Amino acid sequence: MNTHSVAAQTASESGGTGSAAYGGMSAAQIAAEVGAGRLTAREVVRTALARIAEVDEPIRAFTQVWTVQALEQAAAVDRSVRAGDRLPLAGVPLAVKGTRSLSSRHVSRLMAAGCVPVGATATPGAGTRWQTWGATDRGPTRNPHDPDRSPGGSSAGSAAAVAAGMVPLATGSDGAGSVRIPAAWCAVVGLKPTGGLLPLPGRPAYRARRSVPGPLARTAADAAAYLCALTGTAALPPPGAPAAPAAPAPPVPPARPLRTVWSATLGFADTQPSVAAAARAFLTGLARAGIVAPHSATVRLPDPGDCWQALRADLHGAVHHRPVATTVAALTAGVDRLFAEAELLATPTTPNPPHGHDGPGELMSVALTWAFNITGHPAISIPAGRTAAGQPVGLQLVAPPGREADLLAVAAAAETTAAVEAKATAESTGAAETTRAAGTTGAGAY
């Protein structure tokens, strides 16, 4: 970028307001521009606030916009940059899940890395037993890809804000799939780190293991930078280590194909064929590209539903109750057996596509995600194309504890593969249209 403002670049290219160029920038790109002095954090944040004002009314991702506080924080980031501080997320606008406060440990660490919180995002409202939606005083949060559909939840507004280009990065929390489900339905990246990697002060260890904070982002590199900011280093130190701003190295493709087991159901879920087909086709593309290597294994885990519900309620110390403890042990052992042979487990992120604003009915959108909140294994959802009906689908990848780097490496490689395949498809379509046009005008060999 050779200009000194996002607005100037957009104006010179398309005569727009500036928000379109900003909406396509990654967190890494913004931080690089601000850190080098080619942009200021205030310029970026002003543009972010303008984009929110421009596009959020129909989407309803935000419940609050913190204009004054955001501009003050941006000014503080600019002062730090001028003083020579190297902030890995300098000037990056951040959406904050509505259940988190600016004073929370994780948001504070992101701000120390240079992020600028711009507003609170929608989470589910009261009155429903299902959590895959977002509520605002203007109505339910809408999916940017289809306003008649839910963006998922409970990190509903965070995923929608990222997908709509209002922010490049947002906070989420995942206790049953609340980062991964909206990531899948909004076609963004959502990472659930290893249980306990990012503990919450004052929470029992088993609760911190089940419900963990995680990023929603448009790129694997941005998700990696978020995780780096929370842990203090890309090497992922033990929990409790102090955060130290450092320039995160972007994920690189795996050095060799990672052995990957596929399961559409985990042995119990009622996964819709159209969703399974889309996710499986995307995984096959990763195998063709040499990113993963198919590995055959039988996956038959116990249904975690009753166990998860008991753990959430924590009635009379449910974590120590024999039936619950038995299921936890069986789930963990079953997943660990898979990782004795393979390096990744792949599933659709959800068994169903995005539901309407009237809810999922009897569908269990969490069926393929909540087992890994119980076992603590890290998992990521990456965009995996669409069903034949055009509905977004996510591919969930699960790894052994502490192997977030493998998940992010595959996610980064998948972005490149998807871009190459999209370009090839566009070129093929263009060539076919040219041929058809030539035929209709009498040109060509025949």
Side-chain angles (χ1 to χ4, degrees), residues 367-434:
L368 296 168
T369 52
W370 56 1
F372 308 109
N373 294 91
I374 295 173
T375 66
H377 290 84
I380 194 169
S381 179
I382 60 176
R386 295 173 182 257
T387 66
Q391 300 159 316
V393 171
L395 177 69
Q396 177 178 233
L397 299 170
V398 186
R403 297 304 304 173
E404 284 84 358
D406 287 345
L407 299 176
L408 291 163
V410 172
E415 291 166 6
T416 302
T417 300
V420 169
E421 291 190 354
K423 182 174 184 291
T425 299
E427 290 174 348
S428 175
T429 301
E433 290 174 349
T434 300

Side-chain angles (χ1 to χ4, degrees), residues 48-400:
L49 293 170
R51 181 156 179 88
I52 293 169
E54 176 188 353
V55 305
D56 190 47
E57 183 58 35
I59 295 173
R60 306 166 183 161
F62 285 90
T63 56
Q64 297 178 32
V65 178
W66 304 321
T67 302
V68 174
Q69 300 97 313
L71 291 172
E72 289 175 350
Q73 175 65 14
V77 169
D78 287 332
R79 289 193 296 271
S80 294
V81 170
R82 288 195 298 271
D85 293 342
R86 298 180 61 188
L87 303 178
L89 291 169
V92 173
L94 178 75
V96 179
K97 185 176 181 178
T99 54
R100 293 281 180 265
S101 71
L102 290 177
S103 61
S104 74
R105 180 181 185 182
H106 301 128
V107 175
S108 296
R109 285 192 171 192
L110 291 165
M111 291 174 67
C115 280
V116 180
V118 294
T121 58
T123 57
T128 69
R129 63 182 181 84
W130 40 277
Q131 297 291 294
T132 45
W133 68 297
T136 74
D137 58 8
R138 295 166 285 155
T141 304
R142 292 168 169 160
N143 191 318
H145 298 283
D146 183 347
D148 293 331
R149 298 286 163 177
S150 169
S154 62
S155 305
S158 287
V162 171
M166 289 184 259
V167 291
L169 203 56
T171 73
S173 56
D174 193 313
S178 291
V179 164
R180 289 161 288 162
I181 292 169
W185 291 357
C186 289
V188 297
V189 175
L191 174 68
K192 182 197 85 70
T194 302
L197 177 67
L198 305 170
L200 295 171
R203 280 199 176 187
Y206 63 87
R207 282 190 179 269
R209 178 183 177 89
R210 182 182 62 80
S211 183
V212 296
L216 289 131
R218 286 194 296 275
T219 71
D222 287 355
Y226 179 111
L227 189 61
C228 177
L230 292 190
T231 60
T233 171
L236 302 180
V252 296
R256 56 172 177 75
L258 299 182
R259 297 185 306 279
T260 303
V261 172
W262 162 259
S263 175
T265 68
L266 294 178
F268 56 82
D270 186 16
T271 304
Q272 295 184 15
S274 61
V275 172
R280 181 69 180 270
F282 190 81
L283 183 65
T284 299
L286 297 184
R288 281 199 306 268
I291 299 165
V292 300
H295 183 82
S296 180
T298 299
V299 181
R300 191 170 290 111
L301 301 179
D303 188 331
D306 291 344
C307 176
W308 188 93
Q309 295 286 1
L311 288 172
R312 185 187 190 195
D314 192 30
L315 297 174
H316 309 295
V319 70
H320 303 297
H321 191 52
R322 178 166 292 182
V324 173
T326 298
T327 302
V328 171
L331 276 170
T332 304
V335 178
D336 286 344
R337 275 195 300 272
L338 292 172
F339 290 136
E341 307 175 25
E343 292 157 292
L344 297 176
L345 168 63
T347 77
T349 304
T350 63
N352 53 289
H355 58 69
H357 296 296
D358 55 350
E362 297 303 312
L363 297 172
M364 292 297 293
S365 302
V366 296
L368 296 168
T369 52
W370 56 1
F372 308 109
N373 294 91
I374 295 173
T375 66
H377 290 84
I380 194 169
S381 179
I382 60 176
R386 295 173 182 257
T387 66
Q391 300 159 316
V393 171
L395 177 69
Q396 177 178 233
L397 299 170
V398 186

